[in-house]
Amino acid sequence: MAPPLTAAPTAAPTAAPTAAITTAPALPERLIAHLDMDAFYASVELLRYPDLKGQAVVIGGRRMHEPKTLADGTRVYARLRDYTGRGVITTSTYAARDLGVFSGMGMMKAALRAPDAILLPTDFDSYRHYSHLFKAAVAEVAPVIEDRGIDEIYIDLSDVAGIREPVGHDPLGGLRAVAREIKNNVLRATGLTCSIGITPNKLLSKIASELDKPDGITLLMAAEIETRIWPLPVRKINGIGPKAGAKLNELGIETVAHLAAADPLLLLQQFGKSFGAWLHEAAHGRDNRPLVTHSEPVSISRETTFEHDLHAVHDRAALSAIFTRLCEQLAGDLTRKGYLGRTIGLKLRFEGFHTVTRDLTLDLPTQDAQDIRRAAGACLKRVPLDKRIRLLGVRVGGLSKPGEALTTSSSRRGRKLSQAQGLGDHPNGVAAPLPPENLSLF
């Protein structure tokens, strides 16, 4: 007979080996991206002239600086050393920036630093076209966008699908994936690269987008402010300009860490209640501003700086043509953007950098070039032209959309202003034609 079966003694259970579990910090409720196109104007030009890729190129020349195509198909480019005048650089390639040439710099000064840099004229129609393309490409992925200009936007990624999902062992993988998708969309639509900074707010994202240029992605959370933001110079904070930066430096505040450690009372005393309080908040990365997805412009303007100062009498023909062209361009801008305007403004800058402005409010809004030219001419009558002119500009304010009714009170105010200035009535709501001698100044 077989022996009875007995249970063998069992050892205490041992835990199976497991991989170490790392818990990533939870993503903040708000995830804001700042997207900045890389050397935008210059990059658009490189699409047109790919043979210039990798070279020092400066954008800001005139039509006379357009490349010449030879019979064999090769191009001859203007060089910065050949430029004369007082124009400023619109933008430059990264190769030119390595030589110390940056946007906003005078052309003549830049020529001393990079005389062999290629000089190209600006083409704003093309830049606007590519601006529309890249913004539409971003909106396909993340539609909540604040437009900050021709080459930069803020994007609210907070509710984009998949943004908070880890990818593999990367807890921020979903965030990176969305950022790459945006960049790839922009590249496919335009052929251009961009840099993206993603943080909990607009202030930090603006800084972050500059940390890995060009063609970079920077993710930065609140816990990293001390290690990644505080070592930066105070001027890296958008909103601290040259004067405020210089004053902070005089106070021994050179880095964001210095600013964060500064006595808030000192900042209030030195910079005033509003700006001083903002400096303290900015240094700690705090910014609750929402994205502004729609805003109406206050005014639209056109202006030009002359290569050489012009005389109101001796250069009358040239000034008249420029004045008319500015008004026509401004009327085109109003039509394209769908606005009318009631306040016509004139801006003149004379030798010695003395600037004068004059405004005129019309009975009814307009977008007509002749109406704008006529009203701006009336403003011109009120400016003594005893000095040479360096800059001429025309502005239209008091904007409205076609069909928007004017209130009775605003119409009355317009009539009173027109009557007070002796302009009379006009069927289009602007001043009646002035005597020829008043407009013959230009």
Side-chain angles (χ1 to χ4, degrees):
M1 189 172 175
L5 294 173
T6 59
T10 57
T14 58
T18 58
I21 299 174
T22 57
T23 303
L27 290 177
E29 181 180 347
R30 294 183 78 211
L31 289 168
I32 306 300
H34 179 260
L35 184 151
D36 191 22
M37 299 300 290
D38 297 324
F40 182 53
Y41 297 167
S43 297
V44 170
E45 296 297 340
L46 293 183
L47 293 177
R48 187 175 0 216
Y49 307 115
D51 50 310
L52 296 181
K53 188 173 182 179
Q55 297 190 47
V57 180
V58 169
I59 312 299
R62 304 184 294 275
R63 290 182 181 178
M64 62 182 291
H65 298 118
E66 289 182 354
K68 305 294 190 296
T69 302
L70 304 180
D72 61 359
T74 59
R75 298 187 185 96
V76 177
Y77 295 99
R79 299 284 176 171
L80 193 53
R81 64 170 174 265
D82 300 322
Y83 179 86
T84 57
R86 57 167 72 98
V88 298
I89 293 174
T90 302
T91 193
S92 58
T93 60
Y94 289 103
R97 296 178 192 186
D98 289 340
L99 300 175
V101 174
F102 300 94
S103 60
M105 180 181 290
M107 292 277 203
M108 300 292 284
K109 180 179 179 180
L112 298 176
R113 298 187 179 185
D116 293 323
I118 302 294
L119 177 61
L120 295 175
T122 53
D123 181 359
F124 285 101
D125 288 338
S126 184
Y127 307 150
R128 281 189 287 267
H129 171 69
Y130 280 95
S131 179
H132 292 315
L133 289 180
F134 95 74
K135 291 168 186 174
V138 173
E140 291 178 0
V141 180
V144 183
I145 293 171
E146 177 180 333
D147 194 333
R148 293 301 301 166
I150 197 167
D151 62 350
E152 62 173 318
I153 55 175
Y154 287 106
I155 317 162
D156 192 338
L157 301 177
S158 307
D159 298 319
V160 173
I163 198 82
R164 301 177 188 276
E165 298 296 324
V167 176
H169 296 295
D170 182 3
L172 301 179
L175 201 52
R176 296 183 208 279
V178 170
R180 290 193 187 98
E181 185 180 1
I182 290 173
K183 285 169 59 66
N184 289 339
N185 256 28
V186 170
L187 184 62
R188 280 194 297 268
T190 66
L192 304 171
T193 64
C194 62
S195 296
I196 299 178
I198 304 175
T199 78
N201 60 53
K202 291 163 68 173
L203 176 83
L204 292 174
S205 294
K206 175 75 172 177
I207 299 172
S209 66
E210 295 286 335
L211 296 181
D212 191 23
K213 267 188 167 290
D215 199 19
I217 297 174
T218 301
L219 311 183
L220 190 149
M221 298 300 124
E224 302 173 280
I225 291 174
E226 292 186 19
T227 57
R228 301 181 67 183
I229 300 298
W230 281 8
L232 300 174
V234 290
R235 286 290 311 279
K236 289 293 184 182
I237 296 178
N238 186 45
I240 298 181
K243 291 183 178 179
K247 188 171 182 178
L248 286 167
N249 290 167
E250 290 173 2
L251 296 170
I253 301 173
E254 298 181 350
T255 67
V256 181
H258 295 157
L259 184 58
D263 184 348
L265 183 59
L266 172 68
L267 298 177
L268 295 178
Q269 291 172 340
Q270 294 292 326
F271 295 95
K273 183 178 179 180
S274 178
F275 191 62
W278 176 82
L279 286 171
H280 178 75
E281 293 293 296
H284 289 85
R286 294 191 281 263
D287 177 23
N288 295 321
R289 291 174 299 159
L291 261 67
V292 179
T293 57
H294 179 73
S295 61
E296 299 290 345
V298 176
S299 64
I300 298 174
S301 63
R302 284 275 187 163
E303 63 181 44
T304 185
T305 300
F306 307 129
E307 293 296 328
H308 306 284
D309 295 344
L310 299 182
H311 192 279
V313 176
H314 303 319
D315 300 306
R316 179 185 300 172
L319 282 167
S320 179
I322 294 168
F323 194 24
T324 299
R325 185 174 71 249
L326 287 173
C327 294
E328 291 171 346
Q329 291 173 335
L330 186 51
D333 294 340
L334 289 165
T335 302
R336 187 177 65 255
K337 296 177 181 181
Y339 288 103
L340 306 169
R342 290 186 62 230
T343 301
I344 313 300
L346 177 76
K347 177 180 178 181
L348 290 167
R349 180 170 297 147
F350 297 97
E351 54 187 344
F353 288 90
H354 174 60
T355 302
V356 173
T357 60
R358 295 289 185 270
D359 289 329
L360 175 66
T361 299
L362 310 177
D363 285 348
L364 296 172
T366 186
Q367 58 181 199
D368 180 74
Q370 292 184 356
D371 289 347
I372 295 170
R373 177 66 162 82
R374 185 181 296 108
C379 293
L380 181 64
K381 180 187 176 185
R382 295 153 47 203
V383 180
L385 301 175
D386 52 355
K387 295 181 180 179
R388 287 184 171 271
I389 301 167
R390 176 179 295 257
L391 175 148
L392 174 63
V394 184
R395 178 183 67 87
V396 175
L399 302 180
S400 61
K401 293 287 187 178
E404 289 183 0
L406 292 173
T407 63
T408 303
S409 60
S410 65
S411 297
R412 287 173 179 169
R413 283 197 300 271
R415 284 195 295 272
K416 288 179 180 178
L417 278 169
S418 298
Q419 292 164 0
Q421 291 158 337
L423 300 177
D425 296 322
H426 185 273
N428 293 331
V430 298
L434 294 169
E437 62 272 20
N438 290 334
L439 291 180
S440 66
L441 292 170
F442 280 5

